Amino acid sequence: AGAAPPAPAATLSAEATILSRGSWSFSQLAAALSAASGIPAEFQVVAKPPSVQRNLSAQAICALHWGDPKLLSAQRISAPPVRAAHGELFVVRDSRQAHLMAPRND
C-alpha cells in the first residue's frame, strides 16, 4: 500500500442537494455524500450541524462534532441520532485537509 493520494485543492463553499429516503442507513447517505462531494469515502468526514444553525462561520464549522460514531453507525437516517428531515444539512470535509480545520489566531 502506497501513500494516500494528495488532497485536491480546498473547496470551502460547495453545496449539493441529495434526495434521500428516511429508510437509508447512514452508510448509504455517506456514499451519496461522497459521490456529490467528490471526496473518496475513505477520506470523507461528516458532521451534522444543529438543525437551527444554517449559516455556518469558519469557527462554527471547526467546532462541529466530526465523525460522531453514533451518527456513522445509524441504521436509519430518519431516526435518532441522525433525525434527518426535509432540508437537513450535513457538512463534509476531506480528512487529508485536516490542516484547514486548525484554529487560527488572526
Side-chain angles (χ1 to χ4, degrees):
T11 302
L12 300 178
S13 61
E15 64 180 71
T17 299
I18 297 172
L19 300 176
S20 64
R21 297 193 180 273
S23 61
W24 279 12
S25 66
F26 193 83
S27 62
Q28 289 172 295
L29 176 62
L33 291 168
S34 180
S37 68
I39 300 171
E42 64 269 22
F43 299 114
Q44 176 180 269
V45 185
V46 180
K48 180 181 175 282
S51 294
V52 297
Q53 192 172 8
R54 290 290 181 209
N55 295 322
L56 295 170
S57 66
Q59 184 177 11
I61 290 172
C62 288
L64 292 174
H65 190 79
W66 292 95
D68 180 354
K70 290 179 183 177
L71 191 75
L72 302 177
S73 64
Q75 296 301 306
R76 290 177 54 96
I77 62 172
S78 61
V82 182
R83 292 189 185 113
H86 178 74
E88 198 65 65
L89 176 67
F90 291 89
V91 183
V92 180
R93 70 174 174 89
D94 191 320
S95 64
R96 297 170 292 180
Q97 296 178 339
H99 63 284
L100 296 175
M101 299 301 292
R104 296 177 57 183
N105 296 320
D106 296 347

